[in-house]
Amino acid sequence: MTLLRSHLSGSWQTGSGAGRPLHDAVTGEEIARISTDGLDMAAALDHGRRVGGPALRALTFHQRAALLKALGQHLREHREELYAVSARTGATPGDSAFDVDGGIGVLLAYASKAKRELPNSTVLVEGPLEPLGKGGTFLGEHVLTPLHGVAVQVNAFNFPVWGPLEKLAPAFLAGVPTLIKPASPTAFLTAKLVELIVDSGLLPEGAVQFVAGSLGDTFEHLTGQDLVSFTGSAATAQTLRSHPAIVRNSVRFSAEADSLNLAALGPDATRGTEEFDLFVKALTTEMTVKAGQKCTAIRRAFVPRAQLDAVAEAASARLAEVVVGAPDADGVRMGALASLEQREEVRRSVKALREAGRIVFGDPDTVEVTGADAGRGAFVSPLLFVGDPERSEPHEVEAFGPVATLLPYDTTDQLIDYAARGQGSLAGSVVSADPEFVREVVLGIAPFHGRIHVLNARDAKESTGHGSPLPQLVHGGPGRAGGGEEMGGMRGVRHHLQRTAIQADPESLAAITGQWVPGAPRREDTVHPFRKHLEELRPGDALVAGPRRVSREDVEHFAEFTGDTFYAHMDDAAAAANPLFGERVAHGYLVVSLAAGLFVDPDPGPVLANFGVDGLRFLTPVRFGDELTVTLTCKQITPRESADYGEVRWDADVTRQDGESVARYDVLTLVAKQGHEQGAQA
């Protein structure tokens, strides 16, 4: 049989020896073999650091996002090829779509978030400036820059497409190359994925490498600049986390491990309510999608004791409708487990669960199969238990397949206690329309969960479901669940960046970050900053305008025009009694409006729109007769790669005649690139 190829050090390579056989989960047929014997993993890590890292770090966050989007679109065009291979893992068409489309969706979601939330720069500035001296000449700022290592990802067998892509996306955006190591049983599907990525030619050389088989001595060559991201069993996570090289070099290690995820039915959700039906549907869906081989699948289903029989009956009825068999056979809703070894592992776990409960649906030893040979394929029946929540087994034993246990509870406090006995989970669902019950349970179990899904009739139509990790939110959990956060929007990106505190003078700090900071030099010239195109602007370009005297008539006209007749502006006696003012003062929004009148250039030009104000603070009252001056300084420029304009952030400092600031804020504008302003000719 053919050995799967690894893609290392810039080329496709094949290990030596006979290799380990990989089988079709449905037919038992041998598909390929894997071996990494003889492959140089130290050289692969060096290639990533020496070739892939510099190529990625040369790109801005937005340029990396554009490549990630292009890759997602390319994979979407070739997803039928992935579906075809996915069927051999035992996945139904729905399972394959969940894995393949879900992974592609992660790429696209991260690309979109990066363009909205990250600068078009190679440096990410985090948090506000920290004044470190009284004179403003010594400042502190935190910056994040890419680690100069390789993100080594060790994946589980259950999501051979989504798993690698959900780890690749944040690492790639951060500018860190990735080495993908899939779990062996479904490595042939990940191999196809990487083949499509490499053949696309979209990503820089060394940005993605792939090892088909064991990592060998890879961990021996890890440095403090490398990262490891693991998905799999808690026992394996513990072994890898304690590897001497990881401990010695303080290698960043993130784990998403197996967990006893829960769903809790509220006392209000009795038979006949929509919430009762939603709970039963969620439970049975989580049991059968991917044949229950999901790290987020519901394993413990807590129900009020009075509802136990009703839930068992309703869930069993739904499970009885599930047809098990070959993914391409008519009517099949649940396919095979990933391998015969996995089937035996599930059966061993089921034996332990039977010590603490009874099976109310299914048979662990036999199952009716459509379109395939049950003896050759890795098929197993959905299995629903009713268990004793006081026993340890339901809270400690996970059968990683279509298996769940119904557990009764009597009080909310009892439910919270049972939930905690799982020692940390990735996901939990609370199904109830009672806000007080929901609040008590969610806050009670939150310390033990990475994500909690509240489900009821109010959100059911838009809910993405219990077991669907979202790239915008944290995907990980405490304790037994591994303590990691694989995704979580920009949290996942920051995991691959080094946070460094910079202490410097304003001019040096501006040079390091690419952003103007107070105290850094300003440049004033005869050209109004609003007359400059995006390419012509530089941080530090400034305009000083004013003064503008504020009169009683201005305040009263503004009050009449806007309807804002708050007493501090209009009532002499009441304003005098106010301990903050002592007399009538101008509206804060009048001050901002007058400032805009001072700095705005009225004619059509490169500035297309003002789309917001950030950080507005009114620092001291403006009284009748005060004279206002505004200093507007270009603070940050963010070009948009795919648009004819970019975003410009301006620092606005409004001062009165004694030089004291009365208002400070950032003005956000869209500024055209050359040749694209309003009325420009092509």
Side-chain angles (χ1 to χ4, degrees):
M1 293 297 294
T2 303
L3 283 172
L4 286 183
R5 299 179 300 167
S6 296
H7 192 266
L8 303 171
S9 301
S11 65
W12 289 102
Q13 304 177 26
T14 303
S16 59
R20 171 184 171 178
L22 305 181
H23 298 93
D24 187 307
V26 178
T27 66
E29 174 189 358
E30 184 173 320
I31 298 174
R33 296 189 173 221
I34 53 172
S35 171
T36 55
D37 292 347
L39 300 185
D40 192 338
M41 301 308 299
L45 290 175
D46 179 68
H47 182 74
R49 300 184 193 112
R50 183 174 45 83
V51 178
L56 286 175
R57 294 194 297 272
L59 304 174
T60 68
F61 289 110
H62 284 204
Q63 288 170 332
R64 296 174 206 144
L67 290 178
L68 211 58
K69 179 179 179 180
L71 178 61
Q73 293 171 333
H74 173 78
L75 293 177
R76 180 173 284 174
E77 293 173 359
H78 293 269
R79 58 186 171 181
E80 294 297 334
E81 298 174 46
L82 294 170
Y83 290 165
V85 181
S86 178
R88 307 198 74 178
T89 71
T92 66
D95 295 338
S96 296
F98 196 97
D99 183 27
V100 174
D101 293 356
I104 294 171
V106 168
L107 297 184
L108 299 177
Y110 261 102
S112 177
K113 284 185 69 66
K115 289 186 177 182
R116 294 195 310 270
E117 300 179 27
L118 295 175
N120 195 2
S121 170
T122 58
V123 177
L124 178 59
V125 177
E126 182 181 64
L129 280 169
E130 297 289 348
L132 302 178
K134 293 182 179 180
T137 62
F138 190 47
L139 304 172
E141 183 74 273
H142 289 92
V143 301
L144 291 93
T145 53
L147 289 169
H148 285 212
V150 175
V152 178
Q153 54 165 270
V154 183
N155 293 305
F157 65 83
N158 53 332
F159 284 100
V161 175
W162 191 333
L165 294 182
E166 76 173 3
K167 293 182 175 72
L168 170 65
F172 188 87
L173 281 177
V176 178
T178 292
L179 174 65
I180 299 172
K181 190 276 182 216
S184 296
T186 54
F188 55 89
L189 176 51
T190 309
K192 181 61 180 179
L193 169 69
V194 176
E195 178 186 321
L196 291 172
I197 293 174
V198 173
D199 289 351
S200 75
L202 291 167
L203 306 189
E205 170 57 39
V208 175
Q209 298 185 84
F210 168 71
V211 54
S214 167
L215 280 171
D217 64 350
T218 300
F219 275 33
E220 298 294 338
H221 307 289
L222 294 175
T223 72
Q225 290 290 305
D226 298 311
L227 310 95
V228 174
S229 182
F230 169 81
T231 301
S233 73
T236 304
Q238 183 177 1
T239 299
L240 296 181
R241 197 193 300 271
S242 60
H243 189 281
I246 288 180
V247 175
R248 180 175 63 250
N249 297 318
S250 299
V251 176
R252 296 188 188 182
F253 186 94
S254 178
E256 179 210 307
D258 49 23
S259 61
L260 280 301
N261 307 293
L262 67 81
L265 183 68
D268 60 297
T270 57
R271 186 193 288 271
T273 64
E274 187 168 348
E275 283 72 28
F276 181 95
D277 295 338
L278 288 170
F279 180 86
V280 171
K281 180 179 180 181
L283 171 62
T284 54
T285 298
E286 288 296 307
M287 289 177 64
T288 55
V289 169
K290 294 287 289 184
Q293 299 170 113
K294 293 170 59 183
C295 55
T296 55
I298 297 169
R299 306 299 180 192
R300 299 179 296 162
F302 294 104
V303 300
R305 190 175 299 276
Q307 296 294 315
L308 183 62
D309 291 342
V311 172
E313 179 184 332
S316 296
R318 284 186 63 90
L319 292 173
E321 298 174 355
V322 175
V323 178
V324 179
D328 58 353
D330 289 342
V332 167
R333 287 175 50 192
M334 193 181 93
L337 298 175
S339 65
L340 291 174
E341 292 83 356
Q342 182 59 26
R343 185 182 67 181
E344 293 312 305
E345 177 62 31
V346 168
R347 287 175 173 172
R348 282 193 293 271
S349 298
V350 165
K351 288 181 180 179
L353 290 175
R354 295 183 85 163
E355 296 295 321
R358 57 188 174 86
I359 295 176
V360 293
F361 182 87
D363 186 329
D365 299 315
T366 62
V367 59
E368 183 177 342
V369 173
T370 298
D373 185 338
R376 295 180 59 84
F379 297 99
V380 67
S381 166
L383 297 167
L384 183 64
F385 284 79
V386 168
D388 179 358
E390 292 296 335
R391 293 285 297 260
S392 63
E393 291 89 344
H395 310 295
E396 296 178 0
V397 177
E398 179 181 23
F400 201 75
V403 183
T405 302
L406 297 175
L407 299 165
Y409 72 91
D410 296 301
T411 67
T412 304
D413 287 343
Q414 192 181 56
L415 167 61
I416 294 170
D417 174 62
Y418 289 153
R421 297 187 191 186
Q423 302 175 49
S425 300
L426 294 170
S429 283
V430 180
V431 186
S432 171
D434 180 353
E436 291 304 314
F437 173 81
V438 167
R439 180 182 187 277
E440 187 174 356
V441 173
V442 167
L443 296 183
I445 70 174
F448 306 95
H449 287 76
R451 177 164 52 90
I452 298 175
H453 168 235
V454 177
L455 180 63
N456 51 49
R458 296 187 292 270
D459 66 1
K461 289 184 179 179
E462 291 189 329
S463 169
T464 54
H466 165 93
S468 299
L470 300 173
Q472 301 93 328
L473 302 176
V474 164
H475 183 44
R480 173 177 175 149
E485 294 183 1
E486 289 191 356
M487 298 193 294
M490 294 304 103
R491 298 175 187 85
V493 176
R494 286 183 173 88
H495 176 70
H496 297 81
L497 301 171
Q498 174 60 44
R499 181 179 291 103
T500 304
I502 309 296
Q503 300 165 278
D505 63 280
E507 187 170 359
S508 295
L509 200 56
I512 292 167
T513 63
Q515 301 180 18
W516 180 86
V517 298
R522 292 186 173 96
R523 291 179 299 276
E524 297 179 56
D525 55 36
T526 57
V527 179
H528 192 293
F530 280 18
R531 307 308 304 171
K532 295 181 179 181
H533 293 88
L534 195 70
E535 300 91 338
E536 300 169 313
L537 277 171
R538 296 292 181 271
D541 286 354
L543 170 73
V544 179
R548 167 66 155 84
R549 183 176 181 274
V550 180
S551 67
R552 176 189 296 268
E553 291 73 23
D554 291 332
V555 173
E556 292 178 350
H557 174 71
F558 189 80
E560 180 182 0
F561 181 72
T562 62
D564 181 357
T565 57
F566 185 62
Y567 74 87
H569 313 306
M570 299 300 292
D571 187 324
D572 288 301
N578 186 306
L580 298 178
F581 305 130
E583 61 182 287
R584 288 169 64 186
V585 296
H587 306 70
Y589 296 117
L590 172 59
V591 172
V592 173
S593 298
L594 293 177
L598 291 173
F599 66 67
V600 166
D601 185 297
D603 296 326
V607 175
L608 303 175
N610 174 339
F611 70 94
V613 169
D614 278 354
L616 173 61
R617 292 293 183 272
F618 301 120
L619 304 173
T620 193
V622 174
R623 308 181 189 283
F624 302 157
D626 282 347
E627 294 186 338
L628 304 181
T629 297
V630 62
T631 302
L632 188 75
T633 309
C634 178
K635 186 175 184 179
Q636 181 182 4
I637 302 169
T638 304
R640 291 188 178 181
E641 297 289 330
S642 58
D644 297 332
Y645 56 85
E647 300 171 12
V648 179
R649 181 180 291 267
W650 308 82
D651 177 86
D653 184 13
V654 186
T655 56
R656 64 188 182 192
Q657 63 276 3
D658 60 359
E660 185 172 0
S661 293
V662 300
R664 196 86 188 247
Y665 51 97
D666 286 356
V667 178
L668 311 177
T669 63
L670 300 178
V671 178
K673 298 175 182 177
Q674 289 180 328
H676 297 285
E677 70 273 18
Q678 183 177 350
Q681 299 297 314

